[in-house]
Amino acid sequence: NAGVTQTPKFRVLKTGQSMTLLCAQDMNHEYMYWYRQDPGMGLRLIHYSVGEGTTAKGEVPDGYNVSRLKKQNFLLGLESAAPSQTSVYFCASSHNLDENTEAFFGQGTRLTVV
Amino acid sequence: GEDVEQSLFLSVREGDSSVINCTYTDSSSTYLYWYKQEPGAGLQLLTYIFSNMDMKQDQRLTVLLNKKDKHLSLRIADTQTGDSAIYFCAESRGSSNTGKLIFGQGTTLQVKP
């Protein structure tokens, strides 16, 4: 049981390049989230999904797109990377929010845009 | 607004109690959580409290909830150097088809020997 797996763990991009971060969970969770973590700002929600085929915007969605084609995967895309997107990205998943449910986090992806 | 607010830094001596505070905004939040993040790692759930409770104790951890003031606190008794980490409070917002998990900025706890 791997939990939540993020790939890649590290990446350096040039401004304007594109990339996709992959999040995979094997717990059959309905909810999945993408956060970015920046010093002094904590975790900010980028996009989230409440089920396969659905996505919704979080607090800081601009410059990112997501897709949830399969229940176990949640992809975060950067179409044209900017230095402001240098951050540590965390994916998380949970069952639902109606009952107490723990969110499980991946180990993070450290992205640097130069 | 959307904000879940925490103080950014707390320093205590080993053996003392630590109290980390958090304020939230959504009175309809069902559950409130405390997560711990150690250096270079993801977040791990420490404890949680249901919104109709005032207090929850779990070994060295005590969670207090004041719904009227929308204030949540985490007390760590007999703080150890291994407790040094960033602590995040989080609230669950919305229903099962629109909900999301919102985090505070995180409080860095420094434990001095």
Side-chain angles (χ1 to χ4, degrees), chain B residues 92-107:
Chain B
S92 59
R93 289 190 185 169
S95 64
S96 60
N97 60 350
T98 62
K100 52 192 174 185
L101 201 57
I102 299 295
F103 286 82
Q105 308 96 313
T107 299

Side-chain angles (χ1 to χ4, degrees), chain A residues 31 33 35 37 40-43 45 48 50 57-59 90 96-107, chain B residues 2 8 30-31 33 35 37 40-43 45 48 88 92-93 95-105:
Chain A
Y31 281 62
Y33 313 82
Y35 294 91
Q37 184 177 28
M41 304 189 77
L43 271 73
L45 183 63
Y48 65 106
V50 300
K57 292 181 180 180
E59 301 169 78
F90 285 99
N96 60 57
L97 295 181
D98 282 346
E99 302 173 1
N100 171 43
T101 179
E102 178 178 354
F104 291 83
F105 282 79
Q107 291 300 300
Chain B
E2 288 272 324
L8 294 182
T30 311
Y31 286 93
Y33 304 87
Y35 280 80
Q37 184 184 33
L43 278 69
L45 180 67
Y48 65 92
F88 291 91
S92 59
R93 289 190 185 169
S95 64
S96 60
N97 60 350
T98 62
K100 52 192 174 185
L101 201 57
I102 299 295
F103 286 82
Q105 308 96 313

Side-chain angles (χ1 to χ4, degrees), chain B:
Chain B
E2 288 272 324
D3 290 348
V4 177
E5 299 281 346
Q6 296 178 242
S7 54
L8 294 182
F9 187 78
L10 175 66
S11 180
V12 300
R13 293 216 172 269
E14 193 173 17
D16 288 349
S17 293
S18 308
V19 179
I20 302 171
N21 294 303
C22 171
T23 57
Y24 61 98
T25 56
D26 190 344
S27 57
S28 66
S29 292
T30 311
Y31 286 93
L32 296 134
Y33 304 87
W34 284 103
Y35 280 80
K36 178 182 180 181
Q37 184 184 33
E38 296 184 348
L43 278 69
Q44 289 190 302
L45 180 67
L46 266 184
T47 187
Y48 65 92
I49 188 166
F50 187 46
S51 58
N52 69 354
M53 297 169 64
D54 298 323
M55 185 182 85
K56 179 179 179 181
Q57 188 147 5
D58 184 0
Q59 298 183 337
R60 291 191 297 121
L61 306 178
T62 303
V63 179
L64 295 178
L65 176 61
N66 181 331
K67 282 197 73 174
K68 175 176 169 290
D69 295 337
K70 298 189 184 68
H71 183 265
L72 181 74
S73 68
L74 173 70
R75 179 176 180 269
I76 305 173
D78 187 24
T79 313
Q80 304 296 307
T81 54
D83 294 326
S84 293
I86 304 176
Y87 291 81
F88 291 91
C89 66
E91 59 172 342
S92 59
R93 289 190 185 169
S95 64
S96 60
N97 60 350
T98 62
K100 52 192 174 185
L101 201 57
I102 299 295
F103 286 82
Q105 308 96 313
T107 299
T108 298
L109 175 63
Q110 179 189 68
V111 183
K112 297 178 181 177

Side-chain angles (χ1 to χ4, degrees), chain A residues 73-89:
Chain A
N73 295 336
F74 195 30
L75 279 63
L76 177 71
L78 285 74
E79 290 185 348
S80 179
S84 62
Q85 294 177 303
T86 294
S87 187
V88 180
Y89 292 85

